[in-house]
């Protein structure tokens, strides 16, 4: 049987407090279900978009803040 790969997660929120809190919740969920998570956090949605589009980073799961100054979470999702 093959090795289970870590679930790659990106979390983007322009407010550091909420970014940290969501990271804690996602991490706790991974622990609860005994899944290894590779969590990346972004304070700027433009950095996330750049990493995915230009750097070809891949994520299995994205958490995007709805309201951000640069792009909304919905607009970022369309770009991705």
């Amino acid at each position: 049987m093959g090795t289970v790969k870590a679930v790659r997660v990106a979390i983007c929120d322009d407010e550091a407090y909420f970014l940290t809190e969501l990271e804690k919740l996602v991490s706790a969920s991974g622990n609860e279900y005994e899944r290894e998570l590779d969590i990346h956090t972004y304070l700027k949605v433009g950095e996330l978009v750049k990493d995915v589009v230009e750097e070809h980073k891949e994520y299995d799961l994205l958490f995007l803040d709805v309201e951000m100054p640069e792009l909304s979470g919905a607009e970022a999702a369309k770009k991705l």
Side-chain angles (χ1 to χ4, degrees):
M1 187 177 244
T3 305
V4 176
K5 292 184 180 182
V7 176
R8 297 164 301 200
V9 180
I11 304 171
C12 184
D13 197 308
D14 61 318
E15 296 183 51
Y17 172 79
F18 293 112
L19 182 68
T20 301
E21 289 302 305
L22 186 52
E23 182 180 16
K24 288 178 191 175
L25 289 170
V26 170
S27 181
S29 179
N31 291 337
E32 181 179 341
Y33 290 99
E34 298 179 358
R35 289 300 306 258
E36 183 181 347
L37 302 177
D38 181 15
I39 302 173
H40 296 244
T41 58
Y42 295 87
L43 281 167
K44 296 183 178 185
V45 70
E47 291 176 7
L48 169 61
V49 171
K50 179 181 180 269
D51 279 356
V52 171
V53 174
E54 295 178 18
E55 304 297 327
H56 307 289
K57 286 191 178 181
E58 294 182 356
Y59 295 103
D60 300 306
L61 187 59
L62 297 171
F63 290 92
L64 302 170
D65 185 7
V66 174
E67 294 181 16
M68 294 183 277
E70 195 175 338
L71 287 172
S72 73
E75 292 168 329
K78 286 178 187 177
K79 286 185 177 270
L80 300 173

